Amino acid sequence: MRTDTSPAIYRKDYTPPSYWVRTVEMGFDLDPSATRVATRMTLARNPASAEQAIVLHGEELELVQIRLNGKNLAKRDYKLVDGLLRIPTKAEEITLEIETLIRPDKNTSLMGLYVSNGNFFTQCEAEGFRKITYFPDRPDVMAQYTVMLRGDKKKYPVLLSNGNLIEQGDLGDGRHYALWEDPFKKPSYLFALVAGQLVCQEQTEKLKSGREALLQVWVEEGNLDKTQHAMDSLVNSIHWDEERYGLELDLDRFMIVAVGDFNMGAMENKGLNIFNTKFVLANPRIATDTDYANIEAVVGHEYFHNWTGNRVTCRDWFQLSLKEGLTVFRDQEFSADMIGTDSGRAVKRIDDVRVLRQAQFPEDAGPMAHPVRPDSFVEISNFYTVTIYEKGAEVVRMYQTLLGRDGFCKGMDLYFERHDGRAVECDDFRAAMMDANGRDLTQFERWYSQAGTPRVKVTTSYDADKQTYDITLAQSCPPTPGQAKKQPFHIPVAIGLLDGKGRDMPLSLKGHSDQPTTLVLELTATQQTFHFTNVTEQPVPSLLRNFSAPVVLDYDYSDADLAFLMAHDSDAFNRWEAGQRLATRRLLALTEAAQQADSPLSVDVALSASLRASLNDVALDPAFRETVLTLPAETVIAEQMEVIDPQAIHTARRFLRLSLAKDLRQDFSRVYAANQTDGPYSPDAASSGKRALKNLALSYLAELDDADAHTLAQAQYDSANNMTDRMAALAALANSQAPGRAAALAKFYSDFEQEPLVIDKWFSLQAMARTTDVAAVQTLMKHPAFSIKNPNRARSLIFSFCNGNPSRFHAADGSGYAFWAEQVIALDAINPQVAARLARSLDRWRKYAPALQEKMRAALQQVADTAKLSKDTREVVGKSLAAN
Ligand code: B3K
Ligand code: ZN
């Protein structure tokens, strides 16, 4: 076992910086193999610090020279150890000049300054700026930047950085320059530069105050026909933030740039957002409805960061969810408002909760579990997690649930009033919410400090004589690494009661004068009972409406209750939820049966009747019907089992889908025909909802794998006028024995060879196909279009297989795990962040049957034993292997 682990960093060890940086002037001489970076900064001593030195971070830099107040420093004047440069001094005001040399063309980590397809890009969050120059690279050091870019005019005709373009011109030697000035002070992680051969779609937009802003979407030539949706999404985001929160764009110019090599989705650099092409480029030929929705969400998310993240930023990286949870909440609300209808909002909520359950609940139950505000980390890049983002967003949503929309807005106003231009903590946000509303939210802090998914157990009792109804809520939370015992959380539980006809009953609860039909019960103790009066008949409770808290709710519903809620609940989320509970029950029973070789799987008439009713209920939006008919994912079922058996879950889910396909065949055919979207493609919610329902019908019919299904899929493939329909048809063919299967896959490839984002889909679809085993993935890796260096491509094939094809990945012979180890190790040498993501695929290994567990542990150990592993990957495999 190797012991060269990097030390953990603790939140409690925070100390303020020894020097503040006031201004930063940077000059870049851009050259892929030797970029010269000259930085001049003015520093002021921070009286709150005891440290008598300037402390700067730096990684992979060639230090050319340092000058302090105009004087060259010799080696003996400073100490350079382990990426920290310390210059002893007590001076109040200092001018520091540093020159470094960097090699962007050798930078495969995609952090700092790097080259993608011949152009220059940066990624500085969280700690990439230190790969550009020596700097106090921490978010609480905020400074004003002026940036001079110089480079070859032909190779790099476009030179961009944050803020406003002050000046540009020719340097006479085939090179040119551009001078940028960002009027707002910012932390180094928001610095950006882009240089290269790019073109843009632009327009001016009038802001609420009447000011005009220039909006630009920059892409490689040839992609200008794919920028309109991103531009529309940006315009909508700008106006939404003005309307909902009174927040106006503070810059005269706002740029989005798309890059094909990018570690994550996008980055909110001040005024110069850099995006993965996946979240910018769209037209009907290449993008699906989901792509269109994702682009809207990510453009919104990065734009909203301009206030929540940039104007008010994080004091330290432990506070990451301060900006991320809040900004995800804002983008969720934005997307919901863009759909506009109640039913559309419910579908959006369902989608968000699905992500939480499929990804965050498992994280919260595994070795990487951490609070929304972690107490320690080894590598901060590993903490850009579903807990920080999605659970963080749920925590923010709970403020709104507890305080109401207006109360929440008041809290936001106070937050900006107090903290604009500062780097603050999660506690400051909570304090603003409390103070603006005169509410005590002290206990609410536990949502930030305690990891794990709370469980709320509900019991009820009805007294017909007294006409009272008692709801008892009891909470608990399982232990997580480093936190054995938990204190009770402050949990908002929204509830309603349905009468025998399925109507909402008015709720009489002591302390509430009005009689609403939905009430938010506040559970703060370990156990509490709420007494309802004037309850004229035995109700069916609708619990945790709209998923009012990120918890697991247990209540002993009968199957009949669930079918009833599915048919009647006025809360659309809970209608869906009732169906999911029913389906989960069946799937768990089928999984158990599948584990017993001699127990045949049996069909469930009641579930199929309920699903049929929803499928055919034309009063419901197609998008909603699609969510009801989609069975819980294999990973969601897995989390409900004591010991995960991926093969049995897979067999059970396939069996249920096939029985439903047989049972509801006529219905699916009818729905398929009734939900065609003729005419030109539009990604609006109504049309995409119809397509979603139609393609769900297609996928069920495809389960039958008969000639009719093959013909239907092939016909849809041949006539599709958009990528959503084309992909759905291709998926149906790829998972079937259709004679046209291979031809369709080949045609798809040759039709879209020039579109990298579509080729990603082609890899991904095959990686997740039922017949794809490790050998098939390895064959695909030899395809000329495959490259492990491009994160999107690596994700499309390797990640899709390891995370999206559980029954093949968890093959009994352990071949999936051996493949995983090989790929983690290969990726780690190229790009630690991407490798560490893949490393997460085995972190639930202790939940599996012993035979699988042993093979997973061996694969994890193989990675852990690798010499020269990045601290990113080492932290993940180390924590996975650690005794629990
Ligand atoms: N803030 C960035 C994420 C940066 C990830 C660094 N490893 C994107 C976002 O959340 O908007
Ligand atoms: Zn973000």
Side-chain angles (χ1 to χ4, degrees):
M1 177 84 185
R2 299 182 55 90
T3 50
D4 56 344
T5 43
S6 306
I9 301 166
Y10 293 89
R11 184 167 63 89
K12 63 174 169 43
D13 292 344
Y14 173 85
T15 52
S18 55
Y19 280 82
W20 300 113
V21 181
R22 303 276 186 232
T23 59
V24 186
E25 293 162 85
M26 300 186 86
F28 287 83
D29 287 297
L30 295 165
D31 180 335
S33 61
T35 290
R36 205 181 66 94
V37 185
T39 308
R40 181 193 297 132
M41 46 188 150
T42 55
L43 302 133
R45 211 182 136 61
N46 178 5
S49 168
E51 180 107 40
Q52 300 197 341
I54 301 170
V55 183
L56 309 167
H57 303 97
E59 271 171 28
E60 294 163 41
L61 300 171
E62 187 183 318
L63 180 57
V64 181
Q65 62 168 317
I66 317 182
R67 273 193 303 275
L68 195 143
N69 292 336
K71 274 214 318 245
N72 270 341
L73 293 192
K75 276 218 162 107
R76 61 171 185 278
D77 298 328
Y78 57 85
K79 257 207 205 105
L80 181 51
V81 186
D82 286 342
L84 272 189
L85 178 74
R86 309 174 78 87
I87 311 172
T89 172
K90 287 188 257 186
E92 290 296 322
E93 306 274 331
I94 287 170
T95 302
L96 196 62
E97 290 163 282
I98 298 183
E99 199 180 315
T100 54
L101 265 177
I102 49 179
R103 285 213 62 161
D105 62 348
K106 286 269 145 60
N107 181 352
T108 57
S109 72
L110 312 184
M111 287 296 286
L113 180 65
Y114 66 92
V115 177
S116 168
N117 206 14
N119 297 327
F120 288 100
F121 297 89
T122 53
Q123 171 57 36
C124 292
E125 187 175 1
E127 298 178 336
F129 194 73
R130 62 188 64 184
K131 296 178 79 174
I132 295 173
T133 188
Y134 286 96
F135 196 80
D137 190 14
R138 38 186 292 169
D140 55 353
V141 172
M142 298 172 83
Q144 219 187 313
Y145 286 67
T146 307
V147 177
M148 168 64 95
L149 302 175
R150 284 178 292 262
D152 188 283
K153 216 171 155 175
K154 279 219 184 74
K155 287 192 199 139
Y156 315 113
V158 174
L159 302 170
L160 309 174
S161 191
N162 316 85
N164 299 317
L165 179 60
I166 301 298
E167 200 185 309
Q168 56 185 332
D170 211 293
L171 289 166
D173 52 356
R175 298 193 311 151
H176 68 150
Y177 73 91
L179 181 66
W180 292 83
E181 194 178 83
D182 187 346
F184 294 94
K185 57 180 189 150
K186 64 169 177 286
S188 50
Y189 82 85
L190 291 175
F191 167 85
L193 83 74
V194 171
Q197 299 182 5
L198 297 163
V199 289
C200 81
Q201 174 179 350
E202 65 178 10
Q203 70 182 59
T204 54
E205 190 65 19
K206 211 185 189 87
L207 307 176
K208 207 176 178 182
S209 64
R211 204 159 46 83
E212 297 234 314
L214 174 64
L215 311 179
Q216 296 180 320
V217 180
W218 292 91
V219 294
E220 282 180 17
E221 193 152 23
N223 281 333
L224 264 185
D225 60 339
K226 308 183 184 88
T227 50
Q228 187 62 49
H229 182 61
M231 180 61 92
D232 292 344
S233 302
L234 177 59
V235 170
N236 290 336
S237 307
I238 289 173
H239 297 308
W240 183 84
D241 221 9
E242 292 175 340
E243 287 308 311
R244 179 82 175 257
Y245 294 111
L247 298 172
E248 187 176 286
L249 174 60
D250 54 8
L251 293 158
D252 298 330
R253 179 178 182 134
F254 192 90
M255 298 169 277
I256 287 177
V257 188
V259 56
D261 294 282
F262 206 61
N263 283 348
M264 63 276 166
M267 179 62 213
E268 71 264 25
N269 317 297
K270 186 80 186 184
L272 180 57
N273 288 359
I274 298 180
F275 272 61
N276 189 323
T277 44
K278 184 175 161 64
F279 297 109
V280 175
L281 304 181
N283 65 26
R285 184 168 176 271
I286 69 151
T288 62
D289 293 332
T290 306
D291 293 326
Y292 274 87
N294 287 343
I295 289 167
E296 178 179 80
V298 179
V299 167
H301 180 96
E302 306 310 332
Y303 175 75
F304 302 141
H305 266 315
N306 191 51
W307 279 93
T308 50
N310 301 5
R311 286 289 286 256
V312 180
T313 195
C314 302
R315 186 194 70 166
D316 54 66
W317 291 119
F318 299 103
Q319 318 296 329
L320 182 56
S321 197
L322 170 73
K323 74 176 176 83
E324 295 306 346
L326 176 53
T327 306
V328 171
F329 168 75
R330 276 151 57 66
D331 85 53
Q332 290 175 347
E333 289 289 279
F334 165 63
S335 295
D337 283 349
M338 287 298 110
I339 307 172
T341 61
D342 283 350
S343 161
R345 294 187 76 86
V347 171
K348 170 67 180 149
R349 185 76 188 121
I350 288 163
D351 283 344
D352 293 338
V353 173
R354 271 185 181 149
V355 172
L356 196 77
R357 285 186 177 151
Q358 282 174 33
Q360 200 278 326
F361 283 14
E363 178 165 278
D364 237 352
M368 282 291 287
H370 54 275
V372 165
R373 184 195 55 211
D375 290 315
S376 73
F377 58 73
V378 173
E379 170 52 60
I380 183 57
S381 299
N382 286 332
F383 284 76
Y384 286 75
T385 59
V386 274
T387 298
I388 301 295
Y389 277 69
E390 272 70 27
K391 186 175 181 180
E394 293 299 321
V395 170
V396 173
R397 184 175 294 278
M398 285 190 286
Y399 287 111
Q400 182 170 280
T401 303
L402 289 166
L403 305 171
R405 255 203 202 197
D406 288 348
F408 184 80
C409 283
K410 274 197 232 156
M412 288 284 276
D413 290 347
L414 186 59
Y415 176 65
F416 291 114
E417 197 183 305
R418 285 180 176 173
H419 305 297
D420 188 15
R422 293 183 201 285
V424 302
E425 295 174 80
C426 296
D427 283 340
D428 295 310
F429 185 77
R430 188 168 48 88
M433 287 291 154
M434 289 207 293
D435 297 347
N437 291 280
R439 280 282 306 261
D440 182 2
L441 295 170
T442 312
Q443 188 183 351
F444 196 81
E445 197 267 345
R446 290 181 188 149
W447 283 110
Y448 292 94
S449 58
Q450 298 187 141
T453 308
R455 293 190 89 97
V456 176
K457 187 159 176 45
V458 184
T459 45
T460 55
S461 73
Y462 179 61
D463 187 325
D465 294 338
K466 296 195 183 122
Q467 303 212 327
T468 60
Y469 189 66
D470 283 1
I471 299 184
T472 299
L473 305 176
Q475 61 167 307
S476 62
C477 183
T480 47
Q483 291 185 338
K485 288 260 175 303
K486 312 285 164 103
Q487 301 296 312
F489 291 85
H490 182 168
I491 306 177
V493 182
I495 64 118
L497 300 179
L498 273 64
D499 71 13
K501 294 216 165 69
R503 294 170 306 204
D504 271 324
M505 300 166 85
L507 304 174
S508 308
L509 185 70
K510 223 173 137 189
H512 292 263
S513 46
D514 52 347
Q515 295 202 317
T517 52
T518 296
L519 249 181
V520 178
L521 308 179
E522 295 191 29
L523 173 63
T524 51
T526 305
Q527 182 169 318
Q528 265 164 270
T529 300
F530 299 85
H531 308 279
F532 293 86
T533 52
N534 303 322
V535 184
T536 49
E537 58 179 291
Q538 165 94 44
V540 176
S542 167
L543 303 164
L544 205 70
R545 281 187 158 173
N546 205 34
F547 199 69
S548 60
V551 301
V552 175
L553 187 129
D554 299 314
Y555 179 64
D556 200 8
Y557 280 117
S558 68
D559 282 2
D561 285 345
L562 291 174
F564 183 78
L565 287 169
M566 241 179 118
H568 300 293
D569 201 329
S570 65
D571 185 77
F573 181 89
N574 268 1
R575 284 184 83 154
W576 170 78
E577 181 79 328
Q580 295 293 298
R581 282 181 191 271
L582 212 46
T584 303
R585 248 177 222 185
R586 291 301 169 270
L587 283 167
L588 285 170
L590 285 168
T591 301
E592 207 171 300
Q595 289 176 310
Q596 261 94 65
D598 51 349
S599 126
L601 304 187
S602 62
V603 191
D604 178 357
V605 198
L607 176 62
S608 129
S610 291
L611 290 176
R612 172 182 277 129
S614 297
L615 177 63
N616 292 325
D617 187 348
V618 289
L620 299 172
D621 277 352
F624 181 74
R625 284 144 73 195
E626 191 268 344
T627 66
V628 174
L629 269 289
T630 301
L631 299 178
E634 290 180 27
T635 45
V636 169
I637 300 304
E639 282 306 308
Q640 315 245 354
M641 296 178 72
E642 209 50 53
V643 177
I644 302 175
D645 183 341
Q647 311 306 335
I649 296 173
H650 184 71
T651 306
R653 196 169 182 278
R654 271 200 78 179
F655 173 81
L656 185 53
R657 276 179 57 86
L658 181 59
S659 349
L660 289 169
K662 286 181 186 156
D663 239 26
L664 309 181
R665 182 181 194 139
Q666 305 297 330
D667 309 81
F668 282 129
S669 297
R670 205 172 35 244
V671 162
Y672 184 87
N675 285 278
Q676 297 295 319
T677 46
D678 299 327
Y681 172 84
S682 154
D684 66 86
S687 316
S688 67
K690 277 185 154 186
R691 271 187 296 275
L693 184 59
K694 174 195 70 183
N695 287 324
L696 168 112
L698 175 67
S699 82
Y700 269 104
L701 292 168
E703 293 287 348
L704 300 165
D705 211 350
D706 57 11
D708 286 353
H710 301 161
T711 309
L712 191 67
Q714 189 68 52
Q716 175 165 325
Y717 187 86
D718 293 337
S719 66
N721 75 343
N722 64 79
M723 186 49 84
T724 306
D725 286 341
R726 196 178 295 280
M727 277 302 285
L730 190 64
L733 291 169
N735 280 305
S736 76
Q737 317 265 339
R741 181 186 189 274
L745 282 166
K747 179 161 172 23
F748 186 91
Y749 182 82
S750 64
D751 284 351
F752 294 100
E753 206 172 348
Q754 302 307 321
E755 299 289 351
L757 294 170
V758 182
I759 298 306
D760 289 339
K761 295 181 196 300
W762 182 78
F763 276 113
S764 169
L765 188 139
Q766 294 180 80
M768 297 193 291
R770 283 169 188 159
T771 48
T772 301
D773 55 10
V774 168
V777 177
Q778 278 160 336
T779 306
L780 281 167
M781 285 179 74
K782 296 202 186 87
H783 191 282
F786 183 77
S787 159
I788 198 170
K789 286 198 177 145
N790 174 259
N792 283 357
R793 198 52 53 87
R795 284 186 280 255
S796 75
L797 183 53
I798 302 170
F799 286 55
S800 294
F801 178 71
C802 295
N803 300 335
N805 199 343
S807 71
R808 292 290 180 170
F809 178 59
H810 294 282
D813 61 3
S815 54
Y817 311 145
F819 170 77
W820 167 89
E822 202 180 296
Q823 300 315 319
V824 170
I825 293 165
L827 273 168
D828 195 63
I830 301 164
N831 188 326
Q833 274 184 26
V834 175
R837 280 285 146 146
L838 183 62
R840 294 290 307 273
S841 307
L842 282 195
D843 67 9
R844 297 291 280 132
W845 66 283
R846 286 181 209 270
K847 278 275 281 185
Y848 292 77
L852 289 181
Q853 256 194 43
E854 186 38 45
K855 295 192 170 75
M856 288 192 222
R857 201 200 52 75
L860 280 158
Q861 194 61 56
Q862 185 191 338
V863 175
D865 288 343
T866 305
K868 272 196 164 177
L869 206 58
S870 69
K871 69 171 173 173
D872 308 55
T873 300
R874 192 169 294 290
E875 178 176 25
V876 173
V877 295
K879 285 185 173 167
S880 298
L881 285 167
N884 53 350

